[in-house]
Amino acid sequence: MNAGRRILVATDLDGTLVPNDTVVLPPYTASVLRRLDDAGVPVVFVTGRPLRWMSGFWPHVGSHGLAVVSNGALTFDAHAGAIIALTGIQPAEGLAICAAIEAELPGAWFAIECADGIRFAPEYVEPYPSPGAPRGTLAEIWTDPALKLLVRHPDVPPEELHDRVEVIVGDRATVTWSVSGLVEISSAGITKASALRHLCDRLGIDAADVIAFGDMPNDIPLLTLAGTSYAVANAHESVIRAADHIAPPCAEEGVAQVLDRLLAE
C-alpha cells in the first residue's frame, strides 16, 4: 500500500468477508485485519446485518471502532457502544408504503428492523429464531423509525418480487436485496454508499482511496463509490459486472487474500 495515501477498506460481511451466518472471524482473516489496523489502515464493516447480529464482530473493528449496519441506515461506534448516525423510515411514511405494496401484492409479509431489534406483522414467517420479538399489526409495532422494512411473499418468485416492489415504491424509499426472496427497503437515499461517504468525511479520507468488497446487489452502491472495488468470485452476476476486480471466493477467504497481498505491497 502507498504510504503517501490514507487508505480505507470497506467490506461487506456475509458472502464476502465471511460465509453467511458466520458469528466469528476465521483466524487468517482476523490476523490480516489486525495487521491492517496496526498499519493504520481502517477496515470498516459495511453490512446489511442488523445491529443485533454484530456482537461477534466487535472485537475486529480496529482502533476506529466504527461499523455501518442495516444497509447504511445506522453507523455504530462499538468502542463507545453508541449510535453515531441513524436514518430510518418514519411510521406514517412506512405504513403508506406497505399499503401500496399490499394493494398490488396481496398476501405480502412485512417486518421492520429498528435500532432495538426486529418486529413482525402477524403473518410474517421469520427463518431465523427471534425470541421475544414483538408481533402485531403494522400500526401497532411501527412506533419508531425503521432502519429497514422487510418484505416477503409466499407466492411471488424472488426476482419478480424485488422488481415489482421496486416499481411500487418508486423514489419514496430505497429498495434492494441481499437474500433471495427478501426485499429490503431503507429510507430514501440511504445505501451502504451514503453511510460510507459520511464516514469517510468523518475520518478525512477521500472516496477515491477506498477499497471496497461485496457480493450482492445491496453492495453495488458501495462498490460504485469506492476508488477500487472487488467482487468476490461467488458474487451475484450484477455485482461482478459493477466491480473493478474479482477476488477469490468467500469460502477461500478471498478478501483476506487480496488485503494480505496489498499489505505486502
Side-chain angles (χ1 to χ4, degrees):
M1 291 185 181
N2 187 335
R5 296 166 54 199
R6 290 204 64 201
I7 302 293
L8 182 145
V9 174
T11 181
D12 173 52
L13 293 178
D14 294 285
T16 300
L17 186 70
V18 294
N20 291 340
D21 304 327
T22 294
V23 295
V24 293
L25 284 185
Y28 170 62
T29 294
S31 70
V32 171
L33 298 193
R34 188 164 51 249
R35 287 164 50 214
L36 282 163
D37 191 56
D38 290 344
V41 178
V43 179
V44 178
F45 301 142
V46 186
T47 178
R49 283 192 181 212
L51 194 59
R52 59 197 170 94
W53 286 356
M54 290 296 294
S55 58
F57 293 89
W58 294 144
H60 307 284
V61 293
S63 57
H64 60 82
L66 302 173
V68 173
V69 303
S70 291
N71 284 339
L74 189 150
T75 300
F76 191 74
D77 185 333
H79 295 336
I83 294 172
I84 300 300
L86 186 159
T87 305
I89 305 172
Q90 296 296 328
E93 179 185 16
L95 292 173
I97 290 172
C98 290
I101 295 171
E102 177 66 26
E104 296 291 331
L105 296 169
W109 301 343
F110 300 101
I112 57 173
E113 188 72 55
C114 298
D116 62 355
I118 197 165
R119 307 173 189 180
F120 301 113
E123 70 284 344
Y124 193 92
V125 177
E126 169 64 341
Y128 299 99
S130 302
R135 190 176 287 270
T137 67
L138 284 169
E140 290 170 340
I141 64 172
W142 208 324
T143 55
D144 307 293
L147 305 179
K148 288 198 292 184
L149 166 62
L150 307 177
V151 185
R152 293 183 181 273
H153 200 293
D155 302 317
V156 179
E159 293 208 12
E160 179 185 342
L161 178 63
H162 171 264
D163 291 346
R164 292 182 66 181
V165 169
E166 189 170 43
V167 170
I168 294 165
V169 173
D171 60 4
R172 290 183 287 183
T174 299
V175 178
T176 190
W177 67 281
S178 60
V179 177
S180 181
L182 176 68
V183 178
E184 304 164 60
I185 303 175
S186 304
S187 185
I190 295 300
T191 64
K192 291 185 175 187
S194 66
L196 186 66
R197 190 178 293 109
H198 289 300
L199 195 148
C200 284
D201 290 344
R202 178 187 180 93
L203 297 176
I205 295 174
D206 194 287
D209 292 325
V210 171
I211 303 171
F213 297 85
D215 76 307
M216 292 301 285
N218 63 327
D219 295 317
I220 291 175
L222 173 67
L223 300 184
T224 303
L225 173 71
T228 304
S229 61
Y230 287 82
V232 286
N234 54 280
H236 188 271
E237 58 185 13
S238 62
V239 181
I240 289 177
R241 289 195 301 268
D244 301 324
H245 308 284
I246 307 300
C250 174
E252 298 175 12
E253 298 184 74
V255 173
Q257 288 189 49
V258 171
L259 293 177
D260 203 353
R261 185 180 72 245
L262 293 176
L263 267 169
E265 294 172 0

